[in-house]
């Protein structure tokens, strides 16, 4: 993701606490109060400019969604989308995924979406991959037994690494597509990166895995 310096982004985020939740650690174990219902909670880690999570929230009002994005300059576009759509079942967090266990208690989150996560191809950066064992441990700490990770990428190396990482961790693989757009999978909601890379002819890989 190319980052542009947007000095006004921090101010805009702070002005919309109803959409970008400040101090998420204060809601640990109590996200139902934030949404005002007991619906399941799905999060996207590395939500980028928010196309996927906004369209998911529109399509599934019976689910609560949270998009987590590290960079202010990127999440501010997701915020614009959310201001426009004004969805009661979607919140954003300007936060680092490595801190998710500070924000969510065991069982708070029912599903984690990872879409086009940065591949970090160098071996010495392996621990930064969002499907590395250390991140799987974090996701397990915030989900109940049976919690799911849904992953899409155009990066074959990262996809293969994710399958190995899941298998070594003991996750149950319940869905794999090596070419999502030629498969019979229904209801796919495209992310920004998915649109960009599939337009260039890249194949899209997709998996679903479950903690047991
Ligand atoms: N999911 C979007 C899509 O498919 O269009 C964006 C994909 S982009 C390649 C990856 C995004 O993940 C970037 O916006 C990046 O800032 C974010 N990201 C990477 N590491 C993160 C972390 N540790 N915590 C939160 N966001 C992260």
């Amino acid at each position: 993701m190319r980052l542009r310096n947007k000095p006004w982004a921090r101010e805009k985020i702070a002005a919309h606490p109803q959409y970008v939740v400040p101090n998420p650690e204060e809601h640990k174990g109590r996200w139902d109060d934030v949404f005002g219902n007991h619906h399941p909670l799905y999060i996207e880690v590395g939500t980028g400019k928010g196309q996927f999570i906004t369209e998911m929230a529109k399509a599934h009002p019976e689910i609560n969604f949270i998009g987590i994005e590290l960079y202010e300059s990127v999440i501010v576009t997701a915020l614009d989308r959310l201001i426009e759509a004004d969805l009661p079942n979607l919140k954003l967090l300007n936060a680092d995924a490595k801190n998710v266990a500070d924000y969510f208690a065991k069982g708070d989150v029912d599903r984690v979406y990872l879409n086009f996560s940065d591949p970090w191809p160098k071996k010495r950066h392996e621990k930064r991959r969002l499907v590395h064992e250390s991140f799987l441990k974090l996701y397990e700490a915030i989900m109940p037994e049976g919690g799911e990770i849904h992953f899409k990428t155009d990066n074959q190396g990262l996809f293969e690494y994710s399958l190995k990482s899941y298998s070594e961790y003991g996750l149950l693989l319940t869905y794999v597509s090596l070419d999502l757009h030629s498969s019979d999978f229904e209801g796919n909601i495209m992310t920004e990166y998915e649109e960009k890379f599939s337009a260039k002819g890249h194949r899209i890989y997709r998996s679903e895995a479950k903690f047991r």
Side-chain angles (χ1 to χ4, degrees):
M1 172 95 47
R2 208 173 133 237
L3 295 176
R4 285 198 186 87
N5 192 19
K6 297 179 185 167
W8 44 269
R10 182 168 300 180
E11 220 167 281
K12 183 162 187 178
I13 289 165
H16 293 89
Q18 71 277 39
Y19 296 130
V20 187
V21 180
N23 308 318
E25 57 285 344
E26 289 174 7
H27 306 291
K28 185 173 178 174
R30 290 200 290 263
W31 286 94
D32 283 4
D33 296 344
V34 173
F35 288 99
N37 59 49
H38 300 295
H39 297 171
L41 175 60
Y42 296 176
I43 67 171
E44 184 186 16
V45 175
T47 216
K49 295 179 181 170
Q51 174 168 304
F52 173 82
I53 202 82
T54 312
E55 293 307 313
M56 285 294 282
K58 281 185 198 165
H60 299 283
E62 75 288 1
I63 308 284
N64 296 326
F65 292 91
I66 294 180
I68 302 176
E69 169 56 46
L70 189 55
Y71 293 110
E72 289 167 352
S73 60
V74 179
I75 203 172
V76 78
T77 305
L79 172 58
D80 280 337
R81 282 183 203 281
L82 183 49
I83 292 170
E84 169 80 26
D86 192 26
L87 299 164
N89 61 329
L90 174 58
K91 305 286 176 200
L92 301 169
L93 299 189
N94 182 203
D96 191 323
K98 70 176 194 235
N99 301 322
V100 284
D102 296 339
Y103 311 141
F104 302 102
K106 178 83 184 161
D108 275 358
V109 173
D110 297 282
R111 185 179 294 174
V112 171
Y113 287 103
L114 300 172
N115 291 316
F116 297 80
S117 308
D118 298 321
W120 295 108
K122 293 195 175 116
K123 180 76 184 159
R124 69 188 154 92
H125 292 144
E126 183 186 349
K127 286 189 179 156
R128 298 185 191 179
R129 298 175 196 158
L130 294 180
V131 288
H132 181 266
E133 180 195 359
S134 55
F135 280 102
L136 299 184
K137 204 175 256 183
L138 288 176
Y139 308 146
E140 187 177 31
I142 63 173
M143 287 201 277
E145 199 177 305
E148 297 176 4
I149 306 176
H150 291 201
F151 180 43
K152 289 197 277 191
T153 181
D154 68 316
N155 189 296
Q156 185 182 353
L158 184 66
F159 193 69
E160 289 171 358
Y161 177 86
S162 73
L163 298 180
K164 185 168 161 284
S165 185
Y166 291 169
S167 153
E168 284 172 4
Y169 201 85
L171 278 149
L172 182 69
L173 206 56
T174 54
Y175 175 94
V176 176
S177 174
L178 301 180
D179 190 353
L180 176 63
H181 293 183
S182 304
S183 76
D184 55 7
F185 182 78
E186 285 177 14
N188 182 45
I189 288 184
M190 300 258 265
T191 80
E192 275 103 349
Y193 271 66
E194 185 171 357
E195 282 186 351
K196 191 164 88 180
F197 289 125
S198 58
K200 285 186 184 170
H202 294 201
R203 256 202 292 167
I204 307 301
Y205 302 86
R206 183 177 184 281
S207 69
E208 294 179 12
K210 223 181 220 193
F211 286 99
R212 38 182 176 182

